[in-house]
Amino acid sequence: MYAQMVRSTGKGITPREEMSAQERAFQDRVDRDDRIEPRDWMPEGYRKTLIRQIGQHAHSEIVGQLPEGNWITRAPTLERKTILLAKVQDEAGHGLYLYAAAETPGVSRDEMTEDLLSGRMKYSSIFNYPTLTWADMGAVGWLVDGAAIMNQVPLQRTSYGPYARAMVRICKEESFHQRQGYDIMMKMAQGSPEQRRMAQDALDRFWYPSLMMFGPSDAESVHSAQSMAWKIKINTNDELRQKFVDQTVPQAEYLGLTVPDEHLTWNEERGHYDFSQPDWNEFFDVLKGNGPCNTDRLAARRKAWDEGAWVREGLLAHARKKAARHTAAE
Ligand code: BYC
């Protein structure tokens, strides 16, 4: 019932010789790094990919508030509470910019929400994991926002203008989020033995789900080739995952914590860390709706949607009255 349905239909790139003249001219614009704007002609596949990716991203920001919202009333100090509150509010703002960007290629926010609630649209797998202790607020900021930034900084150069522009502010705010998470981890890692244990436990539980955020391996990624040709995606899933591991392992070492991967080693020849892949069966299972929190997350979104119905109806009634008054005055 709460499945985030796996309905990938990507089939790789349309070869240039099979493109219409209009599609070729569009691809040339993308290749020249022109920005595509909402009123420009675009292939139907490009439009659909934008709605899928930006919409999924918007849903992730909104659902992403839930695991952290859980800790606002439980934050250990007033200062931590205000910081966390500000972060969660930022995520709401990100959701709003992204819904606005996703609407520009021609879908309404209501339709996207209905698609989320019916399981036709996804949100990031990471938010189907619970936040069990205060250290999880550190791990979420450090690892989850860290992974989000790794993915989103290149998206500032994505070919679609409204998406690229939304990313600029989002990335600035995500960078603050990541630092606040790392700051919590530092305090915990330098704290009592119990606090250190909590910090290690949070890293143990969030490490592999964070690696999953970048999506399936390149060999399994159905959309990467076409999305990269259109510059909706700038890097492959595996490239970003590797960059994330390379950046994060020294940060864990600085904290004195151990990344839960016995195969993690620096590969001098490649100039990168070798690391274990996440359990991809678990990833696809979470996408199908079977993660620990899928049911709760969608139930919370459905409740908010249902309880907000009177606001939407009131706004629509007001807009109709205003339009009627305007017409009568003319
Ligand atoms: N979770 O062909 P692929 C955040 C789906 S959180 C769920 O590689 P694509 C935040 C994928 O949609 C991050 N589903 O797909 C942080 C596709 O299924 P559909 C949100 C996933 O799109 C802190 C299928 O698997 N960021 O910002 O080329 C607090 C095959 O995958 C996931 C974004 O959304 C996943 N992890 O690449 C609050 C960034 N991975 O759609 C908020 C923008 C894959 O065909 N998005 N799938 O049914 C992207 O960069 C890309 O969409 C992805 C996936 C890298 C996520």
Side-chain angles (χ1 to χ4, degrees):
M1 180 180 175
Y2 292 119
Q4 290 185 260
M5 276 158 42
V6 183
R7 52 172 187 101
S8 305
T9 51
K11 298 182 188 74
I13 312 178
T14 309
R16 196 170 170 86
E17 53 283 7
E18 285 176 25
M19 289 179 191
S20 65
Q22 214 169 14
E23 284 169 340
R24 267 199 298 274
F26 176 86
Q27 188 62 51
D28 290 343
R29 286 192 63 195
V30 171
D31 293 344
R32 280 199 305 271
D33 284 332
D34 272 6
R35 279 277 155 83
I36 309 300
E37 296 298 338
R39 294 205 175 123
D40 296 347
W41 184 87
M42 59 186 78
E44 187 54 17
Y46 180 87
R47 198 182 71 81
K48 283 192 171 146
T49 304
L50 289 177
I51 293 171
R52 183 180 62 78
Q53 180 168 320
I54 308 173
Q56 174 172 322
H57 195 163
H59 293 322
S60 304
E61 300 282 356
I62 299 298
V63 177
Q65 294 178 101
L66 297 169
E68 292 187 308
N70 184 39
W71 282 92
I72 291 173
T73 52
R74 299 174 173 85
T77 66
L78 184 60
E79 192 189 12
R80 289 290 184 198
K81 189 200 274 281
T82 50
I83 294 171
L84 185 61
L85 198 56
K87 179 191 190 291
V88 174
Q89 283 175 338
D90 284 352
E91 309 300 2
H94 299 174
L96 296 188
Y97 313 142
L98 286 164
Y99 280 128
E103 282 188 312
T104 58
V107 66
S108 73
R109 185 170 158 183
D110 287 8
E111 285 170 283
M112 286 184 277
T113 307
E114 276 153 18
D115 282 351
L116 171 75
L117 297 179
S118 67
R120 281 192 296 277
M121 273 184 101
K122 295 184 168 74
Y123 57 89
S124 182
S125 51
I126 189 72
F127 301 119
N128 292 308
Y129 291 86
T131 47
L132 303 176
T133 72
W134 173 250
D136 289 9
M137 291 302 91
V140 168
W142 171 35
L143 301 173
V144 175
D145 289 83
I149 298 172
M150 195 55 82
N151 176 294
Q152 288 164 199
V153 165
L155 291 178
Q156 294 175 100
R157 290 180 285 113
T158 192
S159 60
Y160 190 58
Y163 192 26
R165 288 189 289 273
M167 277 305 133
V168 175
R169 176 160 176 183
I170 291 178
C171 284
K172 285 189 181 139
E173 291 176 349
E174 294 290 9
S175 152
F176 151 67
H177 298 170
Q178 203 247 358
R179 276 182 257 171
Q180 70 85 37
Y182 196 68
D183 186 60
I184 294 175
M185 289 307 268
M186 265 206 292
K187 274 278 180 309
M188 302 286 289
Q190 292 163 2
S192 65
E194 178 60 6
Q195 284 172 315
R196 278 189 64 79
R197 197 194 58 72
M198 283 165 71
Q200 181 63 53
D201 172 60
L203 170 58
D204 290 349
R205 282 182 291 105
F206 275 93
W207 176 253
Y208 288 105
S210 300
L211 296 188
M212 293 174 191
M213 285 176 69
F214 299 98
S217 71
D218 292 352
E220 296 280 322
S221 168
V222 274
H223 301 298
S224 282
Q226 182 62 74
S227 289
M228 288 178 74
W230 279 330
K231 297 187 186 165
I232 293 175
K233 250 171 115 161
I234 308 295
N235 300 94
T236 73
N237 301 352
D238 286 336
E239 278 168 9
L240 291 172
R241 198 169 3 254
Q242 179 73 63
K243 275 179 88 171
F244 174 76
V245 172
D246 291 348
Q247 174 186 284
T248 310
V249 170
Q251 294 171 349
E253 282 168 0
Y254 184 78
L255 293 172
L257 299 178
T258 309
V259 172
D261 178 358
E262 57 183 24
H263 299 116
L264 185 74
T265 40
W266 176 254
N267 184 325
E268 196 62 54
E269 219 169 282
R270 290 198 313 120
H272 293 290
Y273 282 95
D274 291 336
F275 61 96
S276 304
Q277 290 295 311
D279 177 350
W280 291 117
N281 290 330
E282 177 183 320
F283 170 76
F284 287 113
D285 211 32
V286 170
L287 259 53
K288 281 189 209 136
N290 302 324
C293 298
N294 294 59
T295 305
D296 284 356
R297 301 298 184 232
L298 275 183
R301 291 305 302 132
R302 182 166 291 111
K303 182 167 180 280
W305 185 243
D306 292 346
E307 288 178 358
W310 68 273
V311 179
R312 294 192 299 280
E313 283 159 19
L315 287 170
L316 275 174
H318 177 68
R320 269 187 224 110
K321 275 187 195 162
K322 212 171 146 189
R325 271 200 300 272
H326 187 73
T327 315
E330 278 179 354

